[in-house]
């Protein structure tokens, strides 16, 4: 039931006017993300170096959650992907605001946990615009 409510909320909020996203600002904000993430093309070209503690974020926009085959995701994030979670501007922003709360809500499972502890209240759209700008 919670997943249905979350999906409805994200669907309806997707139709609201959104400020233009700033890939330049996203690049600056992404500096916080490289502690855990990198951006590497399928052919191995490193577009933005960083740690590989978290999954590669190349092509994350529109990708199914838990969808980087080279990363060992939590069982909860894999389940979220199996149940339809894809990274849209709305889901990406909601996840970054509070990864564990979002995961619990999406799955309707109070025992669910996100491995990502970092939170970002604003700027997720800019980061996603930056990541999209790197795609080839």
């Amino acid at each position: 039931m919670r997943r249905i409510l979350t999906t409805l909320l994200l669907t309806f909020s997707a139709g609201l006017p959104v400020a233009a996203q700033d890939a330049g600002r996203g690049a600056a904000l992404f500096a916080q993300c490289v502690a855990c993430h990198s951006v590497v093309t399928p052919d191995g070209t490193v577009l933005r170096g960083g740690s590989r503690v978290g999954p590669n974020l190349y092509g994350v926009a529109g990708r199914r959650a838990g969808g980087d085959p080279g990363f060992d995701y939590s069982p909860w994030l894999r389940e979220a992907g199996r149940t339809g979670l894809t990274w849209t501007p709305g889901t990406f922003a909601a996840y970054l605001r509070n990864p564990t709360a979002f995961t619990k809500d999406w799955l309707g499972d109070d025992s669910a946990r996100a491995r990502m502890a970092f939170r970002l209240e604003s700027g997720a759209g800019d980061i996603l615009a930056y990541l999209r700008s790197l795609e080839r």
Side-chain angles (χ1 to χ4, degrees):
M1 181 63 166
R2 284 193 221 169
R3 186 174 70 230
I4 293 168
L5 293 174
T6 300
T7 302
L8 288 172
L9 177 64
L10 292 170
T11 299
F12 289 118
S13 66
L16 297 175
V18 177
Q21 303 306 305
D22 182 346
R25 180 172 181 260
L29 289 170
F30 193 76
Q32 300 171 79
C33 306
V34 298
C36 296
H37 298 279
S38 59
V39 183
V40 181
T41 66
D43 70 6
T45 302
V46 177
L47 301 176
R48 184 77 184 252
S51 176
R52 295 193 181 196
V53 171
N56 175 15
L57 295 182
Y58 183 82
V60 73
R63 184 167 72 197
R64 178 181 50 83
D68 175 5
F71 189 75
D72 181 27
Y73 292 95
S74 72
W76 298 289
L77 199 56
R78 286 193 308 268
E79 180 62 20
R82 280 193 293 273
T83 61
L85 177 58
T86 58
W87 298 120
T88 65
T91 58
F92 191 73
Y95 183 80
L96 287 180
R97 275 192 294 279
N98 188 328
T100 293
F102 178 85
T103 303
K104 285 179 177 186
D105 194 45
W106 181 269
L107 295 174
D109 179 353
D110 286 335
S111 71
R113 298 286 179 268
R115 288 184 182 161
M116 188 169 106
F118 180 78
R119 293 182 183 192
L120 184 70
E121 287 298 319
S122 64
D126 296 324
I127 292 172
L128 202 58
Y130 167 67
L131 293 171
R132 283 183 175 148
S133 77
L134 297 176
E135 293 178 13
R136 299 177 178 183

